[in-house]
Amino acid sequence: RSRATSIYLPEQRISMIPPILSENALSLMPMQKRNAMSFMITFDADFNITHQEILPSVVCSRHRLSYDTVENLIENGDDALSDDIRLIQEIAEFSAANRRSHGAVDIDIPEYKLVLDEKTGLYELHPIDTAMMSRQLVSECMILANALAAEFCDSHDIPAVYRIQPAPVNMPRQETLDE
């Protein structure tokens, strides 16, 4: 079977890749060394990229964080991890503003999670708060990494599949969408 995405159901997850990989060898489990491709990015004081490289690495995650945990650390944390996350959040906010200034448009599409109500045995749709700072932080970091990977492939003549979208026609300005 081939699958282009993982599927999350109330009682199970159908992984895009076999569980032995997705839940072990390729999972960033705390205190476990994992091979990775790392994006090393240096920013100046104004969050402009001054240097970047993509290289093979070995990483050892110290924490397994959920969106809710990161949200709490951003809002209430008073340790080094919280400070690091807040700095990444500032970079993500700058990156998002920079993308918008170059014509990117943010379209909020509602997301839902299917949850089994134990009492009734019925499934309910629960909205996911996509406006959470933690979710936006992850999203912006992924957009930045994807853009840098595309630049790397292009500058090194590496064949890659690029996802592009045509310029919008009669698209309202971002300010109108934000209202």
Side-chain angles (χ1 to χ4, degrees):
R1 291 185 294 180
S2 61
R3 186 175 301 110
T5 186
S6 295
I7 300 169
Y8 297 89
L9 302 170
E11 292 98 14
Q12 75 179 85
R13 179 182 77 236
I14 303 170
S15 295
M16 174 174 52
I17 55 179
I20 188 120
L21 297 174
S22 65
E23 296 170 13
N24 187 13
L26 301 179
S27 179
L28 292 178
M29 297 164 50
M31 308 316 295
Q32 299 289 321
K33 291 182 180 179
R34 296 291 189 249
N35 292 326
M37 291 299 292
S38 292
F39 289 69
M40 308 303 286
I41 308 168
T42 305
F43 298 91
D44 65 18
D46 295 321
F47 302 121
N48 297 301
I49 296 173
T50 59
H51 180 75
Q52 66 191 41
E53 62 184 310
I54 302 171
L55 48 100
S57 62
V58 176
V59 297
C60 185
S61 176
R62 288 181 279 172
H63 306 278
R64 185 177 198 118
L65 303 173
S66 67
Y67 288 114
D68 290 332
T69 301
V70 170
E71 197 75 14
N72 187 49
L73 290 171
I74 290 170
E75 294 174 3
N76 305 310
D78 62 355
D79 59 359
L81 175 60
S82 302
D83 292 340
D84 289 346
I85 291 171
R86 284 189 203 98
L87 178 58
I88 295 168
Q89 179 192 8
E90 286 184 63
I91 293 167
E93 288 172 351
F94 174 83
S95 180
N98 189 42
R99 285 187 315 100
R100 282 189 218 94
S101 74
H102 288 91
V105 177
D106 294 324
I107 300 173
D108 294 325
I109 299 171
E111 292 184 38
Y112 298 91
K113 181 177 184 178
L114 198 57
V115 177
L116 176 63
D117 184 322
E118 297 289 337
K119 294 177 186 172
T120 65
L122 299 174
Y123 291 100
E124 300 174 347
L125 282 178
H126 289 220
I128 295 173
D129 183 3
T130 56
M132 290 173 69
M133 290 179 279
S134 55
R135 288 184 179 275
Q136 292 177 6
L137 180 154
V138 170
S139 177
E140 286 301 325
C141 288
M142 294 305 300
I143 291 169
L144 177 60
N146 286 333
L148 294 177
E151 287 177 18
F152 179 86
C153 290
D154 184 53
S155 67
H156 290 83
D157 294 322
I158 298 171
V161 176
Y162 296 93
R163 180 178 168 193
I164 60 170
Q165 298 173 346
V169 178
N170 299 324
M171 183 71 177
R173 297 182 49 81
Q174 182 66 46
E175 296 80 21
T176 305
L177 293 172
D178 290 338
E179 292 176 357

